[in-house]
């Protein structure tokens, strides 16, 4: 599941806005418009500290970030929220949650 999430992070366009240390395919940290997700699994909060970082909340955030934090950049610019053919399925969200929660020190 983690490997699937790793792959989806690239194919769904997350790499265009977020950096992750150790990945050669993500945007450079100084050019990223989204937060650096290198140690995401260690974070206590997500969505600009609006909700606790747990699997359920992360799945909700990935499903509909606008419902959690209206006006956020991700829901306005990410292809998965603006191009119907790129939308995330439930299984894809599960894989991305597993991958992002796996990013720990």
């Amino acid at each position: 599941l983690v490997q699937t999430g790793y792959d989806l992070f690239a194919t769904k366009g997350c790499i265009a806005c977020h950096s992750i240390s150790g990945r050669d395919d993500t945007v450079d940290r100084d050019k990223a418009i989204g937060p650096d997700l290198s140690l995401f699994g260690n974070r206590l909060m997500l969505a600009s500290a609006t909700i606790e970082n747990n699997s359920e909340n992360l799945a909700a955030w990935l499903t509909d970030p606008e419902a959690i934090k209206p006006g956020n950049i991700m829901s306005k610019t990410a292809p998965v929220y603006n191009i119907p053919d790129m939308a995330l399925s439930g299984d894809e969200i599960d894989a991305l949650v597993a991958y992002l929660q796996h990013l720990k020190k």
Side-chain angles (χ1 to χ4, degrees):
L1 200 57
V2 170
Q3 182 62 50
T4 300
Y6 176 96
D7 296 339
L8 286 167
F9 197 82
T11 60
K12 292 296 186 169
C14 309
I15 59 173
C17 297
H18 297 283
S19 61
I20 295 179
S21 295
R23 284 191 74 140
D24 295 334
D25 59 353
T26 64
V27 67
D28 291 335
R29 187 175 303 164
D30 60 338
K31 295 178 183 172
I33 62 170
D36 181 338
L37 301 178
S38 297
L39 299 174
F40 182 83
N42 290 336
R43 293 183 184 175
L44 300 177
M45 304 293 285
L46 62 99
S48 298
T50 58
I51 56 175
E52 181 182 346
N53 185 9
N54 59 46
S55 296
E56 182 180 317
N57 285 344
L58 179 54
W61 171 255
L62 293 173
T63 299
D64 187 2
E66 191 66 19
I68 293 171
K69 187 175 179 234
N72 69 82
I73 293 171
M74 192 164 84
S75 62
K76 290 179 183 178
T77 61
V80 296
Y81 305 111
N82 295 289
I83 302 170
D85 290 344
M86 293 283 292
L88 296 169
S89 70
D91 288 343
E92 290 171 331
I93 288 170
D94 291 344
L96 284 167
V97 167
Y99 171 61
L100 291 169
Q101 293 291 1
H102 174 77
L103 299 173
K104 295 182 179 180
K105 187 172 184 180

